[in-house]
Amino acid sequence: MYQHQVDRILEKVELLNINLNPIIESSILQDIEITQQISLPDSYKVYLTKIQNGGASDLLNNKGPYYGIYSIAEAIEKNSEWEIDMKQDFQFTTDLELGDLYDAEQDLDKHIYRFENDKEYQLKVQSVVEEYNNTSVLAGSLFVCEYGCGDYLRLVVSGQCAGQIWVDSGVINGTGFYSLNVDILTFYENWLNRQIEILKDPSKKLINAWYSYLEFGNNSRYKIVP
């Protein structure tokens, strides 16, 4: 089912001269699923057993998206640190912009002024942020990679959106939770495509865009700033 995509990805990896991490054996992955009492999405298992187990990078966008992709062991360890239960269903099915819950001012300066001078508005903002400033809202998902500045990309492992990559910009930054609407293979291939584009034209390396952490997905919130 995924073989054509795997072949494409490996060709692009070779073109970019990326040294992949070793893959993980299917039998080890099965043991992890039994131990964690979960069923990992098929596309994720293909990534781990056919592409590489992880792919972290010390340099931004050097070996993988942003700071690279966590190995399955690293992802589970980080989930454990955050006390995230993967056995529960992931609660989100559509993007959640936290500002929508408190009728946020769209202009940042107006938001700051109102937050500092309007007690009712301030309390409403604080109430919403505190509700989602809790790692329990990430139940049913697994760390994929760190975007930076407190934003993370996560893989949904349980629930209606299982297999999708989501952005957690809510727990630490109080902004929201957004779906890339792609699985990890497409997420990684989209990143490879971007690196190939930069290889051909280095001037395209920097992109100014709204919701920049959605770049390697398929979400209409991502828009390049003219």
Side-chain angles (χ1 to χ4, degrees):
M1 178 179 177
Y2 295 102
Q3 192 57 51
H4 289 309
Q5 187 173 18
V6 168
D7 291 342
R8 285 199 314 268
I9 288 172
L10 293 176
E11 287 176 3
K12 293 170 184 178
V13 164
E14 184 175 1
L15 176 64
L16 290 164
N17 196 30
I18 295 172
N19 294 317
L20 295 174
N21 279 13
I23 59 174
I24 190 171
E25 296 295 329
S26 296
S27 58
I28 298 175
L29 209 52
Q30 290 172 0
D31 289 341
I32 291 173
E33 289 181 297
I34 292 170
T35 301
Q36 297 294 321
Q37 299 178 19
I38 57 172
S39 179
L40 295 169
D42 289 341
S43 57
Y44 184 50
K45 289 191 282 190
V46 168
Y47 175 82
L48 295 172
T49 61
K50 301 291 186 182
I51 306 296
Q52 62 177 337
N53 178 21
S57 174
D58 292 334
L59 300 175
L60 187 65
N61 286 310
N62 182 47
K63 190 176 178 180
Y66 310 119
Y67 291 98
I69 296 177
Y70 291 108
S71 70
I72 181 67
E74 291 168 334
I76 290 173
E77 181 180 3
K78 199 161 183 66
N79 255 32
S80 179
E81 291 173 2
W82 282 39
E83 299 182 344
I84 296 169
D85 184 357
M86 285 188 288
K87 297 187 293 299
Q88 295 184 37
D89 284 351
F90 188 65
Q91 67 170 290
F92 304 112
T93 55
T94 58
D95 292 353
L96 176 62
E97 182 96 21
L98 297 189
D100 291 344
L101 301 180
Y102 56 81
D103 299 321
E105 293 286 354
Q106 297 304 304
D107 181 85
L108 180 59
D109 289 337
K110 289 182 178 179
H111 167 74
I112 293 173
Y113 176 83
R114 193 173 170 195
F115 183 82
E116 292 176 346
N117 296 277
D118 182 338
K119 190 66 174 179
E120 184 178 350
Y121 183 72
Q122 182 187 87
L123 290 174
K124 196 171 183 181
V125 172
Q126 290 174 334
S127 176
V128 169
V129 171
E130 286 174 7
E131 179 180 354
Y132 290 94
N133 184 22
N134 188 326
T135 58
S136 65
V137 302
L138 301 173
S141 70
L142 182 67
F143 280 94
V144 168
C145 69
E146 179 183 354
Y147 175 80
C149 300
D151 294 326
Y152 290 88
L153 287 101
R154 304 187 61 82
L155 172 73
V156 179
V157 297
S158 307
Q160 186 175 329
C161 295
Q164 292 182 4
I165 301 292
W166 277 66
V167 172
D168 162 28
S169 186
V171 169
I172 293 177
N173 289 326
T175 303
F177 305 88
Y178 312 99
S179 176
L180 271 71
N181 298 310
V182 296
D183 63 17
I184 192 167
L185 289 172
T186 303
F187 170 68
Y188 186 65
E189 185 173 14
N190 286 348
W191 175 79
L192 290 170
N193 291 339
R194 180 82 178 90
Q195 305 318 301
I196 292 172
E197 181 183 7
I198 294 169
L199 185 65
K200 293 177 179 178
D201 184 356
S203 68
K204 295 183 178 180
K205 185 174 183 177
L206 298 178
I207 292 180
N208 186 17
W210 296 106
Y211 297 89
S212 55
Y213 37 55
L214 299 173
E215 179 181 358
F216 307 126
N218 180 26
N219 187 319
S220 60
R221 290 178 185 269
Y222 176 79
K223 292 184 177 66
I224 296 176
V225 177

